[in-house]
Amino acid sequence: MQKDSAMRSLLLSVGFCVFLFPAATSAQKTVPDFVDENMITHGPILGRLSDDGIGVWARTLRPGEFSVLYGTEEDRLDQTAGPVATSLAHDNTGWIHITGLEPNTKYWYELKFPESHGRTARRGSFRTLPNAGQFRHPELNPRGLFNFSFEFACGNNQNPRHSVGPELPTFGTMLKEIQGDIHFAILNGDWLYEVRREYSPQQWAAHNGVADDEMPEILGIAPTLTGVWENYKFFLDQGDNLRQWHAQVPSFFTYDDHECLNDIWGAGSPGLRDRRAVFRDIGVRAWYDYLAWANPVPFESDIHFGRGQFTEGSDVLVDESVDFTKLKLSDHSNLHVHWGTRTAGVNDNALDDIDDGVPNSGVYRIEEVLGPHKLRIAPAAKADGTDSYSIGKRSYFKKTISNCDFFLLDTRGQRQMHDTSDPFKKISMLGEVQRDWLIDGVKNSEADFIFVVSSVNFMVPHVGGGAVRTDNKDDAWTVFYHEREMLIDTFDKLEKPVFVLTGDLHNSFAIQITDNVYEFASGPHNSNNHWASDEGGRPANGPFKYGPRECDIIWSTYFRPDVPRTELLHPGYCVVQINNVFNNPQVFGKAEQPDEDRWVAYPRPQVIFQYYEGRTGKLRFAYSVRK
């Protein structure tokens, strides 16, 4: 009881009174008592795809449980997975990992409440990935290679002023044209754009029927998390085509700036005091609650949130509520002290000119663990105080499918603050730990094709398209030449095709960088496009040099600056087909003898990039690369 009482006091005195919010009580519930508690409000979303498994996500109205019914016949869902619990601390979200499935098999599924006999109509279908054993032939295909395909793009803005609008017609087109043909999708950043970020813990509590003594501990430390939760729900509520897509097509995700806060730079630069940078962990925590659970990230530890004691001039952080010796720091990145205001996560340029954060807010390096409750950090604290802080989670991972290795990067979490006046500065986009992981991974890869998925562009700068901090605007690798050239040289020496898949810029393009290294950008799904002047004045195609290395733009979508920004409404997507084998049955078309598949490996497998217009599904461009 003493612990519960202390927690209530902490939530009231620290989490909410800082923002002058009234305490939420059960008497303030806005949800009527007759609402069915057994209700799924959002989902399903599919992720974690493998040859024998799938992840299924949902959100419930109240903390509770849900199960998944599934089977290989649409009208016979004879298997059950779960139940899994949802919790207030994760906005009543949860997900089930279904394993033991058959490879290359279509399944139908439906969400269900364990104690209910009724149907939820929250249903969909998916196909598991193929398995090498199904295709292996000792002579013709000894490696068991198989063909597969996926879709990728970025940019799901729904604001009618900056996008095609909440109808998201590209997702409708993809549901009609490619849903049954692809195995999965990669949403390469900017699934989310900032709206309703002012949504307070009190509003969240009242809407969800949560009394003050039920408030999750996390909201006493990071109260602005409720605004990001609300942001995700709002986008799912508006986007019917988006909801249907995620119910039918498993996805993997990277996060870019808008999942956190527009133009978030410098989250990896110790000593930086920046409102946008220190919102990283709050945005990423909500991203995991709603989307990033779908990624097979190897790091088990979650983002650590706490409240620490700081002393002016001291480099020691004290938190009696945690044992730092048990915190697996190899799973974590650096430490941030949060901005601490109600509007910390709001995308309003005017807020950047107001230095209203807590004095100790900023980016810190963890120097060492001094004991169970003490960390040595750098730089030293600027003021005495008890402040909310977090220690970030590493959010990158590798996935192998057939003869392809995919390295999905985190380009925002450890990004150091760039300087457009000195793009050759020896700073890092990835952070040293992630960069070494990537370089070691590609060098030791046995794959025929390597895909490096970066949410920001590689060869084309992103120097316009918004009003945020325009005096230092460039989101791309073009202000990280030292690290970019290191990666290009590494990739080129592999003597196998390396494809850097990028997003962020609201255009699509195909670029040859070296004989072995390519960049393919895809998008936007729904956001408005960018002018060529936002992209360093690049040409529509042909030679382009921005910095030390010339490249060849093979093809692109392209918009001159005389097109009004309100008319830049040309969405798109890209389907990537990996052709490893062809079917060469010895018997074909005889009624008395069924066909027998015989998969023969190509001497030189190929990857085909196919770009489509988002509204109509018409092919815009295709390009093939052989091993």
Side-chain angles (χ1 to χ4, degrees):
M1 291 297 293
Q2 289 180 342
K3 183 178 180 180
D4 291 343
S5 176
M7 179 55 62
R8 286 196 295 271
S9 298
L10 173 64
L11 290 170
L12 289 172
S13 64
V14 174
F16 303 140
C17 290
V18 167
F19 298 144
L20 303 179
F21 292 157
T25 67
S26 57
Q28 294 174 305
K29 294 180 181 180
T30 61
V31 181
D33 292 335
F34 60 79
V35 168
D36 183 2
E37 301 286 324
N38 291 332
M39 180 184 294
I40 293 173
T41 63
H42 300 85
I45 296 176
L46 298 174
R48 295 266 173 164
L49 181 69
S50 65
D51 62 2
D52 67 349
I54 192 74
V56 184
W57 173 97
R59 181 185 184 273
T60 58
L61 179 66
R62 297 285 184 268
E65 296 180 336
F66 69 88
S67 301
V68 178
L69 306 178
Y70 64 98
T72 56
E73 299 176 34
E74 187 173 8
D75 56 356
R76 190 166 177 255
L77 306 181
D78 55 356
Q79 300 179 71
T80 303
V84 67
T86 65
S87 66
L88 287 172
H90 296 278
D91 199 23
N92 295 337
T93 65
W95 66 280
I96 293 174
H97 196 187
I98 306 173
T99 58
L101 303 179
E102 292 297 318
N104 201 28
T105 300
K106 184 171 183 176
Y107 287 87
W108 284 264
Y109 72 96
E110 183 170 344
L111 305 184
K112 181 182 182 298
F113 285 102
E115 303 303 322
S116 172
H117 297 289
R119 307 296 289 269
T120 65
R122 299 275 182 166
R123 57 189 295 128
S125 64
F126 61 89
R127 180 177 293 275
T128 51
L129 286 173
N131 179 284
Q134 297 176 300
F135 294 84
R136 186 173 286 113
H137 186 285
E139 178 186 356
L140 304 177
N141 186 17
R143 296 169 64 190
L145 299 181
F146 52 82
N147 301 332
F148 68 96
S149 62
F150 64 94
E151 181 270 341
F152 86 101
C154 68
N156 289 3
N157 200 343
Q158 296 184 29
N159 185 337
R161 293 180 55 199
H162 304 289
S163 75
V164 183
E167 183 184 352
L168 293 104
T170 296
F171 286 93
T173 300
M174 293 193 299
L175 283 165
K176 181 175 66 174
E177 299 292 338
I178 67 171
Q179 172 199 326
D181 297 327
I182 64 171
H183 291 86
F184 60 92
I186 296 176
L187 197 291
N188 198 12
D190 293 341
W191 189 98
L192 197 70
Y193 283 73
E194 304 89 336
V195 294
R196 298 196 175 183
R197 292 294 182 91
E198 302 92 338
Y199 195 76
S200 71
Q202 275 66 33
Q203 292 172 297
W204 176 87
H207 185 78
N208 289 280
V210 179
D212 62 300
D213 60 351
E214 300 173 315
M215 293 294 287
E217 180 180 2
I218 183 68
L219 297 185
I221 300 169
T224 49
L225 179 61
T226 55
V228 194
W229 284 343
E230 179 68 10
N231 198 162
Y232 278 102
K233 292 193 287 284
F234 181 70
F235 265 44
L236 287 169
D237 288 339
Q238 282 199 135
D240 183 62
N241 285 327
L242 181 66
R243 292 196 307 271
Q244 292 298 321
W245 174 258
H246 284 308
Q248 305 288 348
V249 179
S251 294
F252 302 100
F253 299 89
T254 65
Y255 77 91
D256 200 44
D257 54 341
H258 292 287
E259 281 84 357
C260 297
L261 194 52
N262 186 24
D263 285 356
I264 178 173
W265 307 328
S269 292
L272 178 69
R273 177 179 171 81
D274 184 88
R275 176 179 71 94
R276 295 176 184 267
V278 297
F279 199 75
R280 176 196 66 189
D281 293 334
I282 298 171
V284 171
R285 165 61 191 271
W287 180 62
Y288 271 96
D289 289 337
Y290 274 82
L291 298 177
W293 61 269
N295 295 338
V297 174
F299 308 104
E300 297 178 357
S301 302
D302 293 327
I303 301 168
H304 172 72
F305 288 89
R307 287 186 59 78
Q309 302 289 329
F310 295 85
T311 301
E312 181 180 359
S314 172
D315 61 358
V316 178
L317 177 155
V318 180
D319 185 349
E320 298 288 345
S321 69
V322 64
D323 186 345
F324 288 118
T325 64
K326 296 181 179 179
L327 196 65
K328 191 177 179 182
L329 289 178
S330 60
D331 285 358
H332 294 279
S333 54
N334 57 348
L335 185 145
H336 286 178
V337 176
H338 302 163
W339 198 247
T341 64
R342 178 176 180 175
T343 56
V346 176
N347 186 25
D348 184 344
N349 300 342
L351 296 172
D352 297 323
D353 298 325
I354 304 172
D355 190 7
D356 58 349
V358 301
N360 288 319
S361 178
V363 179
Y364 294 80
R365 181 172 58 250
I366 299 174
E367 299 285 6
E368 62 177 319
V369 176
L370 298 175
H373 310 303
K374 293 183 179 180
L375 287 179
R376 187 179 305 282
I377 59 174
K382 296 180 179 179
D384 295 345
T386 301
D387 298 318
S388 295
Y389 73 92
S390 56
I391 303 176
K393 176 182 175 71
R394 301 192 184 279
S395 295
Y396 47 89
F397 65 96
K398 172 190 172 185
K399 185 170 181 64
T400 299
I401 303 174
S402 191
N403 59 338
C404 300
D405 276 346
F406 292 80
F407 295 86
L408 278 79
L409 305 181
D410 173 0
T411 64
R412 296 287 181 174
Q414 283 296 284
R415 175 183 174 129
Q416 294 180 300
M417 180 58 83
H418 64 267
D419 181 355
T420 54
S421 68
D422 185 9
F424 292 91
K425 184 183 296 185
K426 291 185 178 181
I427 56 175
S428 178
M429 171 86 75
L430 302 177
E432 184 177 348
V433 174
Q434 182 182 188
R435 185 180 66 210
D436 289 348
W437 166 85
L438 174 61
I439 290 175
D440 290 344
V442 298
K443 284 183 175 180
N444 293 307
S445 173
E446 297 180 356
D448 293 330
F449 301 107
I450 293 176
F451 295 87
V452 177
V453 185
S454 164
S455 69
V456 297
N457 300 98
F458 213 49
M459 302 303 293
V460 175
H462 183 176
V463 293
V468 178
R469 297 189 286 193
T470 54
D471 59 337
N472 195 38
K473 172 73 175 182
D474 193 343
D475 278 315
W477 285 88
T478 46
V479 279
F480 292 86
Y481 287 138
H482 172 74
E483 187 169 64
R484 190 194 73 173
E485 294 301 301
M486 182 192 309
L487 293 179
I488 292 174
D489 290 342
T490 299
F491 298 158
D492 194 44
K493 291 175 183 176
L494 299 176
E495 296 186 353
K496 64 178 71 174
V498 178
F499 309 116
V500 185
L501 308 185
T502 64
D504 193 49
L505 276 173
H506 299 177
N507 275 310
S508 297
F509 44 81
I511 296 177
Q512 183 158 11
I513 303 171
T514 72
D515 288 344
N516 300 320
V517 184
Y518 299 80
E519 177 181 2
F520 291 93
S522 177
H525 275 141
N526 203 63
S527 308
N528 61 352
N529 304 99
H530 280 138
W531 289 330
S533 57
D534 301 330
E535 304 170 335
R538 67 171 178 88
N541 67 1
F544 176 61
K545 188 175 183 181
Y546 193 94
R549 185 184 293 266
E550 185 173 83
C551 61
D552 181 17
I553 300 176
I554 304 166
W555 169 88
S556 74
T557 56
Y558 184 87
F559 300 95
R560 294 172 55 85
D562 58 355
V563 180
R565 284 203 185 271
T566 54
E567 300 302 315
L568 296 173
L569 302 174
H570 302 274
Y573 59 94
C574 182
V575 174
V576 183
Q577 171 73 36
I578 292 83
N579 284 345
N580 286 318
V581 295
F582 60 94
N583 195 6
N584 198 200
Q586 291 179 301
V587 179
F588 183 78
K590 294 183 178 180
E592 68 275 11
Q593 194 169 2
D595 297 350
E596 293 184 4
D597 291 339
R598 187 175 61 156
W599 295 97
V600 183
Y602 282 109
R604 295 184 64 185
Q606 64 177 321
V607 179
I608 306 173
F609 294 84
Q610 303 160 86
Y611 286 90
Y612 295 91
E613 206 283 330
R615 297 175 189 267
T616 65
K618 290 185 178 181
L619 182 68
R620 283 172 163 170
F621 175 76
Y623 192 78
S624 171
V625 179
R626 290 187 301 173
K627 177 185 173 184

